[in-house]
Amino acid sequence: MPETSQDFYRIQKLPPYLFAVINEMRAKARAAQIDVIDLGMGNPDGATPRVVVSKLVEAARNARNHRYSQSRGIPKLREEITKRYLTNYGVELDPERDAIVTIGAKDALAHLLFATVGPGDVVVSPNPAYPIHQYGVIMAEGCAEKLPMPDAPTFLNALEGFYRTAARKPKMLLISFPHNPTTVCVGLDFMREVVRLAAAHGTMIIHDFAYADLGFDGYRPPSILQVDGAKEIAVEIFSMSKSYNMAGWRVGYCLGNPKMIAALARIKSYLDYGVFQPIQIASIVALRECEADTRKICAVYQKRRDVLVAGLKRAGWPVEKPRGSMFLWAPLPERYRELGSFEFSKLLMEKALVAVSPGIGFGPLGEGHVRFALVENEQRIRQATRAIGQFLKA
């Protein structure tokens, strides 16, 4: 691949993509007919509900749906997502002013940052973090301020301290719970405190709610829009990817503060014509008819979590059970901590034929951990933990 970092202004701000090294090792092994268990990328392996696929096929056969769609999303789809918020969270939203359809959650986040953040604007987020949370800010010319989040109270304390001492107050707070990669989960009281702090200092909030429906053991992740007054300063990004096994369909939503929604709508009107209309029509069916499928998907991830945690403990690698998301965030085994997460991930790939994501790839405060994604079935997860156990004992 040609070197571009010295040639293009924004590209040179982006570091090498560390996950690519693990992906290349995995691809070479598979090309050599070597079986690799991939617990690295958070790519859902389940099938999209059949009724949604059937509706896509039906809508795709109608030539009227082959034209450009609407950049903001078709009205009935915006109506359905706002109905879901009313049913699930008791939150009333106007489908015209408070909701927009996006080409997945990444599209919503990146373009919203471009629309609202200018040179030098401070955007605060937890670290480690999903890469677009850091580098979306940098590409938008903002200043990414990373606060540690080993747990929710530590992050909240750091945020309060930042407001007290920062010379320049944050324009934006970018959070995501259940959190990727750390799996930290919060309650509604945490959201209330975040909204209180942000409102007091004139800060906008983006809440990336990608794992809204993946709460385990009775835990139900809260929407930030449930907080009184949140809509005055906050938007929430929800996507079909995890809740409905529709990752490749690229359908997401941004909901909440109408001023921020309008800014996103304006910039998107210059950039795209919206999601392919048959996909939007099929998404309406998903939102109307597939809540039971969403609960089943959550149960699958919870069972896989239990199998992975039990298997790693048997292998001599004690880890904590996450309460949500589709990941497990594991501190490196003690004897390998000096090696670092990147070299350890390469070693695990080489010796155990198990791919995981190195924590350093999620930012400097991710060092010392690796992330497992719950994207293989239970039998494959058991196979992976047995291989890891043999590697750790060797």
Side-chain angles (χ1 to χ4, degrees), residues 43-270:
N43 192 3
D45 63 318
T48 303
R50 187 172 299 177
V51 66
V52 181
V53 177
S54 297
K55 192 65 179 181
L56 171 69
V57 172
E58 176 190 322
R61 288 193 173 117
N62 187 336
R64 288 180 300 177
N65 292 324
H66 298 175
R67 305 169 184 174
Y68 292 132
S69 187
Q70 297 182 34
S71 180
R72 295 191 62 204
I74 58 178
K76 286 192 180 295
L77 180 53
R78 283 184 274 121
E79 288 172 12
E80 286 303 322
I81 189 61
T82 55
K83 285 179 184 177
R84 189 183 199 267
Y85 263 70
L86 183 60
T87 300
N88 288 8
Y89 306 110
V91 173
E92 291 191 26
L93 296 165
D94 181 343
E96 285 299 313
R97 298 174 69 248
D98 304 337
I100 185 171
V101 181
T102 62
I103 307 172
K106 268 189 174 182
D107 169 70
L109 183 57
H111 288 152
L112 184 58
L113 290 169
F114 271 109
T116 58
V117 172
D121 284 339
V122 176
V123 180
V124 171
S125 62
N127 196 267
Y130 188 49
I132 189 66
H133 289 191
Q134 302 169 69
Y135 298 110
V137 175
I138 291 168
M139 286 188 282
E141 302 288 305
C143 176
E145 185 69 36
K146 299 179 280 288
L147 299 183
M149 196 183 64
D151 51 62
T154 300
F155 173 74
L156 196 56
N157 288 338
L159 181 61
E160 290 173 336
F162 187 79
Y163 273 121
R164 284 194 303 269
T165 60
R168 191 169 184 180
K169 303 302 181 189
K171 183 169 187 178
M172 186 84 73
L173 176 61
L174 174 51
I175 55 176
S176 178
F177 297 99
H179 186 250
N180 176 14
T182 69
T183 76
V184 168
C185 294
V186 301
L188 201 52
D189 285 345
F190 176 93
M191 293 297 195
R192 289 191 185 100
E193 187 61 17
V194 165
V195 170
R196 183 192 68 79
L197 280 168
H201 294 279
T203 303
M204 296 179 288
I205 302 173
I206 301 174
H207 180 224
D208 184 350
F209 206 22
Y211 308 99
D213 298 296
L214 300 186
F216 308 139
D217 305 320
Y219 168 69
R220 188 176 181 191
S223 164
I224 198 169
L225 298 177
Q226 290 176 266
V227 176
D228 290 340
K231 207 177 82 168
E232 301 303 314
I233 58 169
V235 293
E236 189 159 79
I237 296 170
F238 174 74
S239 110
M240 309 292 284
S241 294
K242 313 308 187 299
S243 297
Y244 299 92
N245 278 342
M246 293 172 64
W249 297 55
R250 307 316 301 136
V251 185
Y253 310 91
C254 190
L255 307 129
N257 179 260
K259 186 176 179 180
M260 295 168 73
I261 298 295
L264 178 56
R266 185 167 181 180
I267 202 168
K268 277 177 61 63
S269 70
Y270 283 89

